[in-house]
Amino acid sequence: MKSKKEEQKDLEELAKSYKQFLNRGKTERECVNFVIREAKKHGYKNLENLMQENRQIQPGEKVYISHMGKIVALFQIGTAPLEEGMNILGSHLDSPRIDIKQVPLYEERGLAYFDTHYYGGIKKYQWLGIPLAIHGVVVKLDGTVIEVCIGEKKNDPAFVITDLLPHLGRDKEEKKLKEFIDAEKMDLLIGNGNNDTVKSKILDILYKEYQIKEEDFISAELEIVPAGKARDCGLDYSMILGYGQDDRSCAFAALRAMLECENPKRTICTIFVDKEEIGSVGATGMHSKFFENSIQSLKKLVNFKEYKEKEMILQNSFMLSCDVTAAYDPMYSEYFESRNSAYLSKGLVLSKFSGKGGKSGGNDANAEYIAKLRQCFSQNNVIYQTAELGAVDRGGGGTIAYIMASYGMQVVDCGIGVLNMHAPWEVISKLDLYEMKKGYLAFLNNIK
Ligand code: MN
Ligand code: MN
């Protein structure tokens, strides 16, 4: 067992590389690139290449498979037969943000804008008046992909969505929050000139600096995110303030646990999905067939007994749905029930069920499975707590757990508490991050 001092050193090291991950991965594509780069460094091979060579995969070997640059799964083959099931970590890489529309550029009275459309559950007012950056890709007519990242480097310009000054708009103060900001007025300020040529000036810059023509926006995915780096939070440096910690905190911990796990008995898998914030839909969301198809491919190359269907591999699997939950916030205590809330710095959070109202639309983890995890966590000195997302009938939520549970596998929501969730800058605790990675690793190594 490690000493307190050694653990503190490990915790700070983990927090440091986590902040680097948050800085490099502000979109799902950037995160997938990061995951693949790290996996390759740790000996993971592209499953699609092995498929082409029809090469058998042996226990201890590591493979990855990705799709459209937005979803990726890592596997390490165990010594136990695949049909006995896998230990799976699943997290999501997309975060709430504001997207740039396909016909975005216009000018109005000497000011140039990008027209926008928000993605995921945001509180619109939080995105006004703060420095913003543009990340994403523009795909040209010939298929060339231009990677865009403006607003992060020291001398880069930043962008802003303007708000009305307090001296005007007293009538706005009477409005309901949802009427207070018109989403069509959340356009991004990108230039200014004293005559009617600001749009053409911007077009010139776009072409000269980035080789982007106006019609190229039609085939672009450009995301507006908070500009700037993740940093320590609090006089005691105990927390981290950063964009996209739902769910990149869990994704990072899952990646680190996966890369640290060597020669597992059962096959282990970590999947990083997209589109969770809008219902896990589409080709790269958890509802897609990506995961099943990946298992099909894997089966062909490992020594798999054909007498059982793929559903049995999945039904025999254990999963942690790695996602964040709402941390108890004393400023909004009436929205929580104090005995069943997640607290910052009280460790990994197990949420038996999710959903809204009478638990509708959620997942419900089996008590026997939770008992297994309790044992695993206590044997590995993982600090953990249990929680529901907020007080009953105050709202609620869920993540990818119920989708995986539909295969009949054991799934439980297991992540950490976040303060200021879905705001441009979210807060987590370093200790929770550390315990989460420890817990995920213990799960990969021990659950059977
Ligand atoms: Mn989430
Ligand atoms: Mn979310």
Side-chain angles (χ1 to χ4, degrees):
M1 223 182 105
K2 284 185 174 168
S3 71
K4 270 244 154 10
K5 215 174 158 191
E6 284 169 325
E7 286 218 303
Q8 190 58 33
K9 206 175 140 232
D10 286 357
L11 181 149
E12 285 301 337
E13 182 281 322
L14 190 74
K16 197 175 155 200
S17 55
Y18 170 58
K19 282 179 279 178
Q20 286 165 354
F21 169 67
L22 289 180
N23 296 339
R24 283 195 220 161
K26 286 197 178 182
T27 69
E28 56 283 24
R29 282 181 190 256
E30 289 172 352
C31 289
V32 165
N33 289 342
F34 185 96
V35 168
I36 293 177
R37 218 166 34 233
E38 291 299 308
K40 279 183 173 167
K41 275 193 227 161
H42 286 78
Y44 280 77
K45 296 191 185 86
N46 189 338
L47 179 62
E48 283 167 302
N49 295 344
L50 301 184
M51 290 285 291
Q52 272 167 12
E53 299 161 21
N54 199 20
R55 182 167 83 58
Q56 288 289 302
I57 308 173
Q58 304 305 326
E61 276 201 273
K62 302 164 183 174
V63 295
Y64 73 89
I65 183 162
S66 66
H67 190 47
M68 295 187 184
K70 294 182 213 165
I71 185 169
V72 58
L74 312 181
F75 295 91
Q76 190 181 160
I77 309 306
T79 45
L82 189 55
E83 58 268 29
E84 287 180 14
M86 300 180 289
N87 291 358
I88 306 165
L89 297 173
S91 62
H92 68 93
L93 295 175
D94 61 318
S95 294
R97 60 176 191 254
I98 299 173
D99 287 338
I100 291 175
K101 284 188 182 179
Q102 262 41 71
V103 181
L105 183 59
Y106 70 95
E107 71 171 69
E108 186 83 47
R109 309 266 169 175
L111 296 171
Y113 294 94
F114 278 149
D115 209 329
T116 70
H117 190 155
Y118 66 97
Y119 171 97
I122 64 166
K123 283 180 149 178
K124 298 187 186 92
Y125 69 85
Q126 295 177 335
W127 292 76
L128 308 184
I130 61 166
L132 296 166
I134 301 173
H135 289 233
V137 296
V138 178
V139 186
K140 310 224 359 130
L141 206 52
D142 65 0
T144 319
V145 179
I146 300 167
E147 306 238 6
V148 176
C149 178
I150 315 166
E152 302 292 358
K153 287 197 217 87
K154 209 170 138 217
N155 296 318
D156 273 2
F159 309 94
V160 70
I161 299 169
T162 55
D163 198 355
L164 188 64
L165 63 169
H167 314 64
L168 299 177
R170 283 279 135 86
D171 58 323
K172 269 185 178 281
E173 285 174 15
E174 311 298 320
K175 286 194 174 167
K176 283 186 181 152
L177 191 59
K178 66 176 179 193
E179 298 156 2
F180 168 59
I181 297 160
D182 179 354
E184 280 298 356
K185 290 189 176 166
M186 292 181 67
D187 291 344
L188 191 70
L189 181 62
I190 54 161
N192 157 242
N194 60 2
N195 50 32
D196 289 343
T197 58
V198 56
K199 184 178 164 179
S200 61
K201 177 172 82 177
I202 293 294
L203 280 171
D204 282 348
I205 294 167
L206 284 170
Y207 193 73
K208 267 197 211 121
E209 302 282 325
Y210 309 99
Q211 294 75 53
I212 299 167
K213 288 186 192 163
E214 192 172 9
E215 57 269 30
D216 292 332
F217 286 108
I218 292 172
S219 47
E221 286 172 8
L222 295 170
E223 303 179 9
I224 299 162
V225 297
K229 290 186 160 73
R231 55 203 296 187
D232 287 343
C233 176
L235 284 172
D236 55 0
Y237 298 85
S238 62
M239 299 167 283
I240 292 169
L241 181 70
Y243 165 66
Q245 302 197 73
D246 171 8
D247 183 32
R248 293 173 189 143
S249 54
C250 300
F252 176 78
L255 176 65
R256 282 290 290 255
M258 186 72 182
L259 298 179
E260 278 180 33
C261 188
E262 291 288 346
N263 303 310
K265 283 193 199 78
R266 285 161 67 83
T267 294
I268 58 171
C269 165
T270 300
I271 180 164
F272 304 87
V273 300
D274 178 29
K275 299 288 184 283
E276 191 276 342
E277 297 293 354
I278 57 166
S280 298
V281 293
T284 53
M286 194 69 250
H287 275 301
S288 77
K289 294 284 181 283
F290 169 79
F291 187 62
E292 278 182 55
N293 293 343
S294 303
I295 304 291
Q296 280 301 98
S297 306
L298 198 65
K299 257 169 63 177
K300 289 193 184 118
L301 301 188
V302 297
N303 193 8
F304 179 75
K305 296 196 189 81
E306 275 298 337
Y307 64 87
K308 279 180 183 169
E309 293 300 310
K310 68 170 187 293
E311 280 74 20
M312 294 308 287
I313 300 178
L314 296 176
Q315 189 164 310
N316 291 337
S317 293
F318 295 101
M319 184 192 188
L320 296 183
S321 174
C322 309
D323 207 345
V324 296
T325 188
Y328 184 89
D329 189 336
M331 297 298 114
Y332 302 96
S333 56
E334 65 275 29
Y335 292 88
F336 296 87
E337 184 270 283
S338 60
R339 283 178 304 280
N340 292 281
S341 290
Y343 291 87
L344 232 54
S345 288
K346 287 198 174 179
L348 188 56
V349 184
L350 280 176
S351 297
K352 186 178 186 303
F353 51 82
S354 50
K356 288 181 184 149
K359 308 186 177 181
S360 92
N363 176 60
D364 189 358
N366 216 31
E368 285 83 346
Y369 178 40
I370 295 180
K372 239 185 238 283
L373 289 167
R374 283 174 61 198
Q375 193 160 55
C376 170
F377 291 159
S378 64
Q379 278 168 355
N380 291 278
N381 303 306
V382 178
I383 302 170
Y384 73 97
Q385 54 187 325
T386 61
E388 291 189 22
L389 195 150
V392 180
D393 277 349
R394 281 292 195 167
T399 175
I400 61 173
Y402 74 99
I403 307 166
M404 297 298 265
S406 66
Y407 292 113
M409 74 172 74
Q410 303 272 11
V411 188
V412 65
D413 283 288
C414 182
I416 56 170
V418 175
L419 282 176
N420 218 25
M421 199 201 285
H422 278 210
W425 300 96
E426 300 172 314
V427 180
I428 68 151
S429 131
K430 289 181 183 173
L431 182 141
D432 293 342
L433 180 75
Y434 183 73
E435 294 302 321
M436 172 161 57
K437 198 232 43 188
K438 209 161 81 177
Y440 289 173
L441 184 59
F443 163 83
L444 292 175
N445 273 321
N446 300 301
I447 288 293
K448 59 175 190 282

